[in-house]
Amino acid sequence: MDAAVRQLITLLHKSPYRCVLAVTGGGAGAIAWLLSVPGGSRTVLEAPVPYAEDSLREYLGYTLKSSCSVAASQDLAVRAQQRARLLAPGVPTAGVGCTASLRSDRPKRGDHRFHLSVHTGVRTITHSLILVKGARDREGEEHIIDLVLLNALAEAFGVPDRLDLPLLPGEEIVVETRPEGEALARFLTG
């Protein structure tokens, strides 16, 4: 972990926010980083990884049309924030949901991409990125998600620092912000 990552995580740990991070594989490295910097127990309440399709269905309570989508990441984030509120009543909470389709041991027909949402109970912010296919190994693709996850937490927690993202030409993060009611209503109706 480089010094900039460590510094941002230290600032996240000083924030009053507590969070639950639900990732479907991509983003697990950021969880490890958050827990490896002293103070992690002040920030991370739990970090489920519903990796298998059945696990994801059980976590959300319904079957998804696509497990790697904006809607899936937003629903994961809402569910994670609900859990965070339960585990840390009376303090600011956030839920993170991350879905990804990354380089694998077999060729993929679709894009390599991810959707990462942070829900605070007030709003849901989603970061989506289509990665240049074949330009990075799996570790390189995961690294981008981990950096975006930490930046998204910083944004949600009100921490002004951000990490530089080593994006390639043609890669652009699309950010969508939704007020609380819209994501929550979609989640509750399945």
Side-chain angles (χ1 to χ4, degrees):
M1 170 185 329
D2 69 29
V5 170
R6 182 174 297 283
Q7 176 61 29
L8 180 58
I9 292 171
T10 299
L11 293 172
L12 292 173
H13 291 340
K14 290 179 180 179
S15 162
Y17 276 86
R18 311 286 305 276
C19 67
V20 170
L21 301 102
V23 303
T24 61
I31 294 168
W33 285 347
L34 285 162
L35 297 176
S36 69
V37 174
S41 64
R42 287 192 306 271
T43 304
V44 178
L45 295 164
E46 67 182 17
V49 182
Y51 192 67
E53 187 177 325
D54 289 342
S55 178
L56 183 57
R57 180 176 52 249
E58 183 178 310
Y59 187 80
L60 288 174
Y62 67 94
T63 301
L64 293 162
K65 291 179 184 172
S66 171
S67 60
C68 183
S69 65
V70 169
S73 75
Q74 291 174 343
D75 290 352
L76 278 168
V78 169
R79 175 73 180 97
Q81 198 267 338
Q82 289 172 338
R83 180 81 176 143
R85 274 196 334 251
L86 178 71
L87 295 171
V91 299
T93 58
V96 174
C98 182
T99 64
S101 179
L102 304 177
R103 186 176 202 132
S104 183
D105 60 354
R106 62 194 179 286
K108 292 199 174 193
R109 287 174 287 187
D111 292 323
H112 293 197
R113 67 194 186 283
F114 68 87
H115 306 282
L116 188 148
S117 298
V118 179
H119 181 72
T120 61
V122 175
R123 64 184 179 172
T124 303
I125 303 169
T126 302
H127 297 76
S128 298
L129 176 63
I130 296 174
L131 299 155
V132 174
K133 196 170 185 175
R136 298 179 183 90
D137 59 13
R138 173 66 176 242
E139 186 178 323
E141 291 182 347
E142 297 256 8
H143 184 71
I144 297 294
I145 295 173
D146 297 338
L147 296 174
V148 171
L149 191 153
L150 294 177
N151 281 347
L153 280 179
E155 180 180 5
F157 290 11
V159 172
D161 293 29
R162 297 294 184 275
L163 300 168
D164 291 330
L165 302 174
L167 298 179
L168 299 174
E171 292 180 336
E172 181 181 348
I173 295 177
V174 176
V175 179
E176 174 186 338
T177 302
R178 301 172 89 158
E180 176 198 9
E182 197 172 336
L184 183 59
R186 197 176 72 254
F187 176 76
L188 293 174
T189 60

